Amino acid sequence: MTMKAAVFRKPYEIELSEVAKPQPGAGEVIVSVRAAGICGSDLHNYDGSHPYVVFPAIYGHELSGIVAEVGGQVKRVKPGDRVIIEPSIPCGSCYPCRSGKYNCCVAMKFVGSFGGQGGFADYVAVPERCVHSMPDDMDYRIGALCEPFTIGAQAVKQAGVQDGMTVTILGMGPIGLTILMLLKQLYAVRVFAVDVVPERLQTAQRFGADVLINPLHEDPVERIEELTGGEYSNAVIEVAGLKRTMEQTIHLVSAGGHIVIVGLTSDDVSMPGILFTKKEVQIRGSRNSVDQFPFIIDFLNRNRELAEAFISATMPFSDIARAFHEAKTKPNAFNKIILTFDEE
């Protein structure tokens, strides 16, 4: 049997093709995809700049759908169940997996990356552990938002946020916005949103940022020193993925505070060594998520208006080439594009 899939042939070329439909292994689930989000990493695959990009390939990892088939050893779900996919596929045996940090698995496989078939297709095969039950009344489009929100939830957890804190977010792209939305819904905190793109700052204001800072017009360190009476920010979360912003975190954070690095860069990053001990800061990376899906599924189901506001556009899967072109050429016009699939 065959299915329709979006095959990324080369940079900037997506072709809807008939490909072989996956068959379930003993512990696998075949999901009929109903909604798929376009992630920033998908855009880097699209333009060929992602470090792990391969062509041809089928990408897509922000997914929700319906169980179509199950393997003989599958116990938790059955055909017809509505599910949300957690795309990480850890090995389960390396040190990070054994210590409960499966997000850092040294042999990680991933739906829609590292050569694995993704969900920009009618069907996708995933291990049973990768599917989470989806509420009956939850929109599939909101289900597809769960994966990026789990990344935000992991960063908030790593930051050790408590009521009464000040938190600075460097980079107000989609992941930065998920962090902002979670902070303002879950904690009584003051959030400083930092970005050089005016449209992103406007969106951050709409989602509750208390102070907007554009480094093109003012120095974030001086502004935050002023705003906090010299205390600086109790937590700083870097999402921009830039050498400059990563190095800036140590100057923005208060003594005894927390720094979380979510952004990615291959550049060497340096910080004044004396400030590590003088401020006794905790610096943590944040990668994917650990056990955040059940919480985020419930959070988004309870905050549906917020989730709907996060979606910039909904397009049919058949228009995937146009959706990627729009997202790539108008990056500040789209926060999140969701592709929807025809009902069978």
Side-chain angles (χ1 to χ4, degrees):
M1 294 182 64
T2 63
M3 66 174 182
K4 186 179 295 183
V7 180
F8 290 62
R9 297 290 182 188
K10 61 183 181 180
Y12 299 103
E13 184 176 309
I14 302 173
E15 179 181 271
L16 284 176
S17 304
E18 289 293 323
V19 303
K21 178 184 173 183
Q23 299 301 308
E28 288 187 323
V29 175
I30 303 297
V31 177
S32 172
V33 181
R34 303 265 57 89
I38 295 178
C39 174
S41 64
D42 293 322
L43 291 173
H44 290 305
N45 289 326
Y46 175 63
D47 67 16
S49 64
H50 196 288
Y52 301 115
V53 68
V54 295
F55 296 107
I58 301 168
Y59 293 109
H61 60 271
E62 299 179 358
L63 310 168
S64 66
I66 304 169
V67 175
E69 301 177 61
V70 298
Q73 295 178 9
V74 172
K75 304 297 182 184
R76 290 192 300 108
V77 295
K78 63 184 184 304
D81 286 353
R82 308 170 89 244
V83 293
I84 292 163
I85 293 176
E86 179 174 358
S88 300
I89 308 174
C91 73
S93 60
C94 66
Y95 171 69
C97 286
R98 297 196 312 272
S99 61
K101 298 189 69 174
Y102 65 82
N103 59 321
C104 300
C105 174
V106 299
M108 180 74 78
K109 296 181 180 179
F110 202 82
V111 175
S113 189
F114 306 118
Q117 186 221 302
F120 292 144
D122 288 338
Y123 297 93
V124 64
V126 297
E128 181 183 17
R129 72 166 301 282
C130 292
V131 295
H132 297 270
S133 295
M134 180 177 171
D136 290 340
D137 57 349
M138 190 178 200
D139 191 303
Y140 287 113
R141 296 176 308 123
I142 295 177
L145 293 180
C146 289
E147 195 275 340
F149 269 85
T150 63
I151 295 173
Q154 183 75 10
V156 171
K157 176 184 176 182
Q158 293 290 79
V161 177
Q162 298 178 9
D163 287 345
M165 289 176 62
T166 52
V167 183
T168 297
I169 305 173
L170 301 174
M172 297 312 304
I175 298 301
L177 288 175
T178 68
I179 293 168
L180 168 63
M181 294 163 77
L182 287 161
L183 286 172
K184 298 305 289 186
Q185 291 297 312
L186 300 174
Y187 300 97
V189 292
R190 195 176 183 202
V191 179
F192 308 142
V194 183
D195 205 294
V196 298
V197 180
E199 293 88 347
R200 287 184 173 182
L201 290 175
Q202 291 168 10
T203 303
Q205 185 175 43
R206 186 156 55 91
F207 287 128
D210 296 284
V211 178
L212 309 178
I213 300 173
N214 188 329
L216 297 179
H217 305 306
E218 57 184 335
D219 183 340
V221 177
E222 293 180 359
R223 179 71 170 130
I224 289 173
E225 179 185 23
E226 175 190 350
L227 288 165
T228 61
E231 182 175 282
Y232 295 98
S233 185
N234 307 143
V236 180
I237 304 176
E238 199 282 340
V239 202
L242 301 173
K243 171 183 170 70
R244 179 174 181 176
T245 50
M246 289 184 185
E247 293 178 341
Q248 199 172 55
T249 58
I250 193 70
H251 302 288
L252 292 170
V253 72
S254 62
H258 296 74
I259 294 172
V260 177
I261 305 296
V262 184
L264 300 173
T265 182
S266 58
D267 293 336
D268 291 337
V269 175
S270 63
M271 298 180 183
I274 188 64
L275 294 182
F276 285 110
T277 48
K278 183 179 180 180
K279 288 190 171 185
E280 198 182 46
V281 295
Q282 295 188 41
I283 303 178
R284 295 178 175 177
S286 187
R287 177 185 178 186
N288 296 335
S289 69
V290 176
D291 299 329
Q292 295 288 352
F293 270 81
F295 164 71
I296 286 298
I297 291 169
D298 177 67
F299 174 82
L300 292 180
N301 198 40
R302 289 185 291 104
N303 293 277
R304 297 182 190 181
E305 289 186 4
L306 202 65
E308 289 281 357
F310 189 77
I311 300 171
S312 304
T314 300
M315 301 184 186
F317 174 57
S318 58
D319 281 350
I320 185 170
R322 179 172 68 89
F324 268 82
H325 176 76
E326 291 283 303
K328 186 63 182 177
T329 58
K330 304 173 184 176
N332 299 326
F334 297 98
N335 180 53
K336 178 62 62 179
I337 296 177
I338 301 290
L339 302 170
T340 55
F341 293 65
D342 294 334
E343 296 287 345
E344 295 183 335

